[in-house]
Each structure stands twice: as structure tokens, then as C-alpha cells.
Amino acid sequence: MAGRNRTLVTEFLLIAFTEHPERGLPLFLLFLSFYFVTLLGNAGMIILIHKDHQLHTPMYFFLGHLSFVDMCYSSVIVPQLLAVLLEHGTAISQARCAAQFFLFTFFASIDCYLLAIMAYDRYVAVCQPLLYVTIMTERARWGLVAGAYIAGFSSAFVRTVTAFTLSFCGNNEINFIFCDLPPLLKLTCGESFTQEVVIIVFAIFVMPACILVILVSYLFIIVAIMQIRSAGGRAKTFSTCASHLTAVSLFFGTLIFMYLRDNSGKSSEEDRVVSVLYTVVTPMLNPLIYSLRNKEVKAAVRKALSRSKASGKPYEY
């Protein structure tokens, strides 16, 4: 029976937010505006970092890659979500579903690794300032970023192959905003224990491992800050980490709430709202967080605007 249903289920039906058709257009316009802000904000951050030599530092090097990944990460999810809202449900083949799941896992994993790398960068800057330049060399920075991409690809590949070797039968409706693992597991039939163990093991090497690196890094940072005698010095040192800490709390907070809590009693509506936070809202807010809470970025923005006014034409990228 499972094998027969497996051959019959050739596509899934995404039906998130379709219970109330009258909300489709307002939600479509809302998420479309969020997506445009995400693209403009992150692209602007990348261009600003590239153009302003004051931002050619390890921290902004990693931030540039984080902005690029956030653009890709959002682009994997939001266009499909907009189609679901516009058409009141969208059919998606298993191949497209697998591709979306792979890309989401790939970019989300890289996001986790980059945030962990940025925490380590802040640790070196605060706790070992005299060695910062020798530790965070250009070769080291590229090595860390390349490692994040390779680790993200490996995790996404194994999890995708493992997830889509499962047998799907019965209802093919996914009441979620994209092809994610929790709603897919609800559609499986037959024995799936081995696949789920593999998926969980590889997941441990992403989110919990990155959270551990971040926690340890900030533990040493807090100890170093507390040893600074002047209140002004402590505030100035902590301000260099505030933007990153805000982004980490927002991103990992929603992921933990979604994936590391008890599955019992979870409502589909609650899941959808949380998923919107980490797939749509967080990539949009990251450029705002780093620009509003960071003196160097604000100075670079003012410089770019003043240069544009002085030339009498739009700022040339």
C-alpha cells in the first residue's frame, strides 16, 4: 500500500494561508513589500561594504557574505509563497520540492555558520585585540567562508537525499509556506526511523554546534568586558557586538522555537507565523539592524549620500 501510494504522490500542494481567501491579496502585497525591502537592503549593504574602504575589515567581510546569503535565502522561499497567496494554493512536484528544501537548508546552514564565525571574529577583536590582524588574515577569512559554504552544502545534500528517500502516501497537502522537514514528515508512511536519525544527527552539526560557538565566544567577551574599569569603555566595547547579538537572537530564537521544541500540541497556524519570522522578516531586518546600530555603517551611508548630493546625480555603484 505504501509503495503504491508512493508512486501516486508525484506532487505536493502548498496551501499556507489559503483558509481565508479574502486575506490573500493583503498578505501578497505585504510579503512582496518585505521581499523588495530585503533585496534592496541587503544589496545596498553589499555595495556599501564594497565601495567604502573604511568597511574593508573582517567583520564587514563576513557581513557582506551574510547579506548575500540572506538575499538567496529569502529568494528561495518568498516567490513561492507569493504564488501560493496569488493562486490560493500551488502544486509543486517532488523534484521542485526537493530542490527548494535543499536550497533552503543550504542557505540557512550557511547563515548559521556565518553568524558563528562572526561571533568568533568579535571574540578575537575583544579578547585578543593585539593578535586580531594576524589571526583574521584575508586567507583565514576566505577559508572560514569557504568552510561555511562547504559544510552547508554537505549538510543540505545529505538531509535532502535522506528526506526524499522516505515514502509519501495519503494526503499530499502541505499546510506550510514552503517544503520544510516538519510538514513533510507528517506525510510519510512506512518505516522512517533510520532517515530521521540521519537528519537529526546532521542537524546537530548545524544549529546546536553554531549556538555553542556563539555562547562560548560571548562568554569570553562578557568576561573581557567586565574587566574593563571604565563604564564608557565597557559600553563602547559592547556596542561593537550589539548588532551581531541582536541578529543572532532574532535568527536563532525563531529557529529554536520552531525546531527544538516539543512537537506535541503544535498548531499549523503557529508554525506558519514562526516560519515567516525566520524566512521573511529576519533577512529583511538584518541590514536595518547593522545600519541603525552601527556607527561605521551609518557614517558610510552619510558619506555615500553626501557624495551623491555633491555630484548632483544619483550615487554611482
Side-chain angles (χ1 to χ4, degrees):
M1 183 66 178
R4 186 168 71 250
N5 284 340
R6 168 69 169 153
T7 60
L8 291 175
V9 179
T10 59
E11 63 180 16
F12 299 103
L13 186 63
L14 296 173
I15 58 170
F17 300 114
T18 58
E19 301 94 334
H20 304 282
E22 69 278 2
R23 299 178 186 175
L25 183 58
L27 287 175
F28 174 86
L29 295 175
L30 177 65
F31 292 140
L32 181 63
S33 64
F34 283 178
Y35 185 51
F36 279 142
V37 173
T38 299
L39 295 182
L40 290 174
N42 285 287
M45 183 66 72
I46 293 171
I47 293 170
L48 198 65
I49 292 171
H50 176 72
K51 286 292 184 180
D52 196 299
H53 292 286
Q54 297 296 324
L55 301 182
H56 289 183
T57 63
M59 182 176 74
Y60 294 106
F61 173 81
F62 298 131
L63 178 57
H65 282 276
L66 183 69
S67 295
F68 170 73
V69 170
D70 278 345
M71 289 174 61
C72 299
Y73 174 63
S74 183
S75 297
V76 171
I77 305 300
V78 180
Q80 181 70 66
L81 173 59
L82 295 176
V84 171
L85 292 170
L86 199 61
E87 301 171 12
H88 305 294
T90 301
I92 181 171
S93 66
Q94 282 199 30
R96 284 184 58 197
C97 187
Q100 186 182 52
F101 177 74
F102 169 80
L103 290 173
F104 163 74
T105 307
F106 175 53
F107 289 118
S109 299
I110 297 173
D111 225 325
C112 292
Y113 289 128
L114 286 176
L115 288 171
I117 290 170
M118 293 171 74
Y120 172 71
D121 171 74
R122 292 299 82 205
Y123 155 74
V124 177
V126 173
C127 300
Q128 303 183 48
L130 298 179
L131 299 176
Y132 183 70
V133 177
T134 57
I135 293 175
M136 284 297 173
T137 61
E138 184 176 3
R139 182 176 181 180
R141 298 197 300 266
W142 278 110
L144 289 170
V145 169
Y149 279 82
I150 293 171
F153 177 86
S154 302
S155 175
F157 180 79
V158 172
R159 295 186 74 201
T160 302
V161 171
T162 305
F164 283 86
T165 55
L166 294 168
S167 297
F168 300 99
C169 60
N171 185 13
N172 69 337
E173 291 184 347
I174 298 178
N175 195 359
F176 205 62
I177 68 172
F178 67 102
C179 287
D180 198 11
L181 191 58
L184 283 172
L185 290 178
K186 294 179 182 179
L187 306 180
T188 60
C189 56
E191 178 59 43
S192 61
F193 177 76
T194 303
Q195 290 93 329
E196 290 184 27
V197 168
V198 173
I199 291 169
I200 291 171
V201 168
F202 271 83
I204 290 173
F205 287 101
V206 182
M207 187 163 38
C210 291
I211 291 174
L212 179 62
V213 171
I214 292 169
L215 289 177
V216 172
S217 298
Y218 273 101
L219 178 63
F220 282 106
I221 289 171
I222 291 171
V223 171
I225 290 176
M226 295 305 296
Q227 292 176 350
I228 300 175
R229 294 183 178 180
S230 66
R234 288 196 295 268
K236 183 179 179 180
T237 303
F238 182 77
S239 67
T240 63
C241 308
S243 298
H244 176 256
L245 196 56
T246 303
V248 165
S249 302
L250 184 62
F251 183 73
F252 282 104
T254 53
L255 285 182
I256 289 171
F257 185 80
M258 183 68 191
Y259 295 108
L260 297 186
R261 62 193 173 113
D262 185 12
N263 287 334
S264 61
K266 290 170 63 176
S267 67
S268 297
E269 185 175 358
E270 188 180 61
D271 288 350
R272 293 196 301 266
V273 172
V274 175
S275 66
V276 166
L277 290 177
Y278 67 80
T279 59
V280 181
V281 177
T282 300
M284 178 188 68
L285 291 181
N286 276 345
L288 298 177
I289 291 170
Y290 280 98
S291 59
L292 295 177
R293 298 182 64 101
N294 195 293
K295 293 181 180 180
E296 289 87 354
V297 174
K298 287 191 285 189
V301 171
R302 285 194 295 266
K303 188 188 301 183
L305 293 176
S306 62
R307 190 181 306 169
S308 175
K309 291 179 181 178
S311 63
K313 59 181 180 180
Y315 182 57
E316 295 181 356
Y317 298 121

